[in-house]
Amino acid sequence: MDLEHIDNMHFDVLKEIGNIGAGNATTALSQLINSKVDMKVPVVDLLEFRDLPDTVGGAETIVVGILLTLDGDIDGMMMFMLDEESAHHLVDMIVGKKTDGSNEFTEMDLSALNEIGNIIAGAYLSSLSALTNMRISASVPYMSIDMAGAILSVPAIEFGKIGDKALLIQSQFCEDDDEVNGYFILIPTLDSYGKIMSSLGL
Amino acid sequence: MGEMIKIGMADLNACKYPGALTTLGLGSCVGIALYDPSTKVGGMAHIMLPDSTKIRKNENHAKFADTGIDELIKQMISLGANKHNLVAKIAGGAQMFAFTSNNDMLRIGDRNVEATKAKLSSLGIRVIGEDTGLNYGRTIEFYTETGDLLIKSVGKPIKTI
């Protein structure tokens, strides 16, 4: 298995995985905030490291990154990213307070964000697990609020161990009034990527 | 000030006075700035991993601390730098997530910093400034005019080393 030589059929399968996983996660989110959430068509991309931060608006964009490490039949990482404004909006909806325009996250905000990450990443992973009939266990969520480049360096380094490009299965979602923008990024290890394919008969 | 050259992840470049070099959003990677004060030649590398010999796919020299530093010095010499004058400033190597599991990913930032220092010391290059570790991202700018390295982080004052 070589990441540099993925054909269109494999791309389509990965897109479908992203679609199903994010679809489930979006439903979970929608229930959580009791509001309609739409999902965009997922993008599967093989990217040069230097282009990676541009997928979320540039290296210096401030984002909330929630990362879970995966093991079991599939190893790798799952990352859920929200831009800062979206994170505030989401938290305010859940905690039920009026947006005060402040840039600071309170302790309570942070723990709500962590829980949001946990719930929707869990929904994403459980559909992936059902689809491939593989056991996937996820770690507790780890959160960081910082520049996108710095946060993405963590999955990029994992990819760097096996090649010069990163495989992103990226699904973007938005709430009714476009105030919430988020990304799911699934980062299987090379071995796991092969396992996913063969579990689907490819 | 001259042109500001942007260095991406797993990338490096060198320039002469009055040029400047920058890399945005360093996380667990390490930014290495080398400088020859007498010729005002500067170079910057954004390395991701400590050791090229541990990885099978290692064609991109800029990805690793060991081969990245060698390559950077080569480019600086071709711009007129004298190897014996070189000094280094380094930044980055943060641990962005507070992993608790016993995993290789845990200490990658630290390992990048250690490998960078070991390589520099084996080449006899002194580290005269350092802002590494902890848990936040850094944008760095390096000016060939002064040899100053500026470090910007979210919610922190700008630091010059």
Side-chain angles (χ1 to χ4, degrees), chain A residues 124-198:
Chain A
Y124 189 108
L125 292 171
S126 70
S127 68
L128 177 60
S129 170
L131 186 73
T132 55
N133 204 17
M134 291 197 282
R135 192 179 57 83
I136 308 170
S137 20
S139 69
V140 295
Y142 302 105
M143 186 165 58
S144 174
I145 303 171
D146 211 308
M147 293 184 266
I151 288 182
L152 284 168
S153 75
V154 177
I157 285 169
E158 288 305 296
F159 277 115
K161 292 176 184 166
I162 55 170
D164 288 316
K165 286 183 176 171
L167 176 75
L168 288 195
I169 307 170
Q170 181 190 316
S171 317
Q172 197 179 358
F173 64 82
C174 46
E175 198 215 347
D176 257 355
D177 47 3
D178 269 348
E179 283 190 86
V180 177
N181 269 296
Y183 306 88
F184 297 101
I185 302 171
L186 179 67
I187 309 131
T189 61
L190 199 58
D191 281 352
S192 307
Y193 170 74
K195 280 191 209 163
I196 294 172
M197 287 299 159
S198 54

Side-chain angles (χ1 to χ4, degrees), chain A residues 60 77 146 150 153 158 160 163-164, chain B residues 25 28 63 99-100 105 137 139:
Chain A
E60 290 189 296
M77 292 178 185
D146 211 308
S153 75
E158 288 305 296
D164 288 316
Chain B
S28 299
K63 197 161 80 176
F99 294 121
T100 47
M105 286 178 301
T139 282

Side-chain angles (χ1 to χ4, degrees), chain A residues 2-195:
Chain A
D2 184 347
L3 275 186
E4 313 275 323
H5 303 102
I6 297 181
D7 61 20
N8 278 338
M9 190 183 67
H10 285 130
F11 264 138
D12 285 342
V13 170
L14 292 172
K15 258 186 212 171
E16 195 49 31
I17 288 174
N19 220 352
I20 294 170
N24 236 15
T26 307
T27 309
L29 181 66
S30 180
Q31 285 165 354
L32 199 65
I33 62 177
N34 201 14
S35 171
K36 191 164 169 286
V37 179
D38 286 320
M39 192 180 58
K40 297 192 178 158
V41 177
V43 180
V44 177
D45 246 334
L46 201 53
L47 292 167
E48 300 278 349
F49 293 129
R50 64 169 173 273
D51 298 328
L52 199 58
D54 291 331
T55 56
V56 291
E60 290 189 296
T61 310
I62 309 231
V63 297
V64 176
I66 295 164
L67 183 92
L68 295 92
T69 60
L70 311 178
D71 58 29
D73 295 335
I74 296 178
D75 284 315
M77 292 178 185
M78 154 103 217
M79 179 119 102
F80 172 55
M81 288 178 96
L82 283 168
D83 64 54
E84 201 183 13
E85 228 173 288
S86 300
H88 276 295
H89 181 71
L90 207 54
V91 165
D92 291 345
M93 284 180 83
I94 289 172
V95 192
K97 63 175 179 188
K98 274 258 186 304
T99 306
D100 51 7
S102 119
N103 281 330
E104 296 292 316
F105 289 101
T106 63
E107 279 300 311
M108 170 115 147
D109 292 346
L110 294 178
S111 93
L113 275 174
N114 222 15
E115 195 47 31
I116 293 167
N118 207 10
I119 290 170
I120 67 178
Y124 189 108
L125 292 171
S126 70
S127 68
L128 177 60
S129 170
L131 186 73
T132 55
N133 204 17
M134 291 197 282
R135 192 179 57 83
I136 308 170
S137 20
S139 69
V140 295
Y142 302 105
M143 186 165 58
S144 174
I145 303 171
D146 211 308
M147 293 184 266
I151 288 182
L152 284 168
S153 75
V154 177
I157 285 169
E158 288 305 296
F159 277 115
K161 292 176 184 166
I162 55 170
D164 288 316
K165 286 183 176 171
L167 176 75
L168 288 195
I169 307 170
Q170 181 190 316
S171 317
Q172 197 179 358
F173 64 82
C174 46
E175 198 215 347
D176 257 355
D177 47 3
D178 269 348
E179 283 190 86
V180 177
N181 269 296
Y183 306 88
F184 297 101
I185 302 171
L186 179 67
I187 309 131
T189 61
L190 199 58
D191 281 352
S192 307
Y193 170 74
K195 280 191 209 163

Side-chain angles (χ1 to χ4, degrees), chain B residues 13-90:
Chain B
N13 214 329
C15 71
K16 279 195 218 181
Y17 169 79
L21 300 144
T22 184
T23 194
L24 309 179
L26 276 170
S28 299
C29 301
V30 172
I32 303 158
L34 297 183
Y35 188 54
D36 173 357
S38 59
T39 58
K40 296 200 170 182
V41 172
M44 186 184 281
H46 181 156
I47 62 102
M48 299 173 74
L49 288 160
D51 187 355
S52 66
T53 61
K54 298 264 162 52
I55 307 279
R56 204 149 30 105
K57 208 160 164 41
N58 57 10
E59 294 88 354
N60 180 4
H61 290 166
K63 197 161 80 176
F64 305 98
D66 54 348
T67 50
I69 291 170
D70 285 337
E71 177 62 30
L72 188 61
I73 293 173
K74 215 191 288 172
Q75 289 196 12
M76 290 175 71
I77 289 173
S78 75
L79 289 178
N82 182 338
K83 195 179 165 182
H84 304 289
N85 292 339
L86 293 181
V87 288
K89 292 180 179 177
I90 61 175

Side-chain angles (χ1 to χ4, degrees), chain B residues 3 5-6 14-15 40 59 83 88 93 96 103 105 111 148-149:
Chain B
E3 192 197 352
I5 302 169
K6 209 168 138 181
C15 71
K40 296 200 170 182
E59 294 88 354
K83 195 179 165 182
M96 297 304 299
N103 190 304
M105 286 178 301
R111 282 168 44 219
D148 281 349
L149 185 71

